[in-house]
Amino acid sequence: MLAIIVTSHGEFARGILQSAEMIFGKAQRVLAVTLAANESVEDLANHYQAAIESMEPITELLFLVDLWGGSPFNAASRLVAQNPDNYGLVAGLNLPMLIEALSIQNQPLADVIPHLERTARGGVRHLDLRADTGDDDLL
């Protein structure tokens, strides 16, 4: 089973994991790792290492991070670079992406990542009542 680390600046990762579990149910082999305002990238790397050790043995690991190029991304990318065949990283964390990741956790990492990219993009929509899109059935 794919291990997942959900990570963010501040408490976002914990909150979104809690929200996903309200909808999906209790997650297995998934941990939230956060970066506090007073912590460094090295502190975060240590948090990642502790999370990884607590979920061992791990054959494949996916990092879901809040922001491309931010500290959580940078610290995770170092670990992915050391294990490119077994670790993956997707930025732009949102709730549909996380729920989908939980639902396909038994699939190989190579299949999960492109699927999550599509799911995350599809999760961004707007309600346009001026156009006949059928969305007015929601009201």
Side-chain angles (χ1 to χ4, degrees):
M1 176 183 280
L2 179 65
I4 301 172
I5 295 178
V6 182
T7 186
S8 67
H9 295 83
E11 294 297 313
F12 175 63
R14 284 192 182 97
I16 199 167
L17 180 56
Q18 180 184 24
S19 295
E21 288 180 333
M22 286 177 67
I23 296 165
F24 184 79
K26 180 67 178 150
Q28 301 296 314
R29 298 181 58 84
V30 178
L31 293 175
V33 174
T34 62
L35 175 67
N38 62 341
E39 292 181 311
S40 68
V41 174
E42 291 308 315
D43 291 327
L44 186 58
N46 291 333
H47 296 325
Y48 286 157
Q49 196 58 46
I52 291 167
E53 289 171 7
S54 75
M55 291 191 287
E56 286 183 339
I58 291 175
T59 55
E60 293 186 313
L61 172 64
L62 175 62
F63 289 92
L64 297 177
V65 303
D66 59 353
L67 184 64
W68 183 276
S71 296
F73 173 90
N74 293 334
S77 67
R78 291 179 194 162
L79 293 171
V80 172
Q82 294 171 5
N83 299 286
D85 294 329
N86 301 87
Y87 288 11
L89 171 60
V90 177
L93 175 63
N94 63 41
L95 190 55
M97 175 197 294
L98 179 54
I99 291 169
E100 193 67 19
L102 297 176
S103 73
I104 60 172
Q105 214 175 344
N106 61 338
Q107 295 183 23
L109 182 64
D111 296 337
V112 169
I113 290 175
H115 181 79
L116 293 182
E117 288 177 310
R118 289 187 303 272
T119 299
R121 285 185 191 108
V124 177
R125 299 178 59 194
H126 79 281
L127 176 65
D128 185 357
L129 296 177
R130 296 172 294 170
D132 186 14
T133 62
D135 287 340
D136 55 346
D137 292 340
L138 301 173
L139 301 177

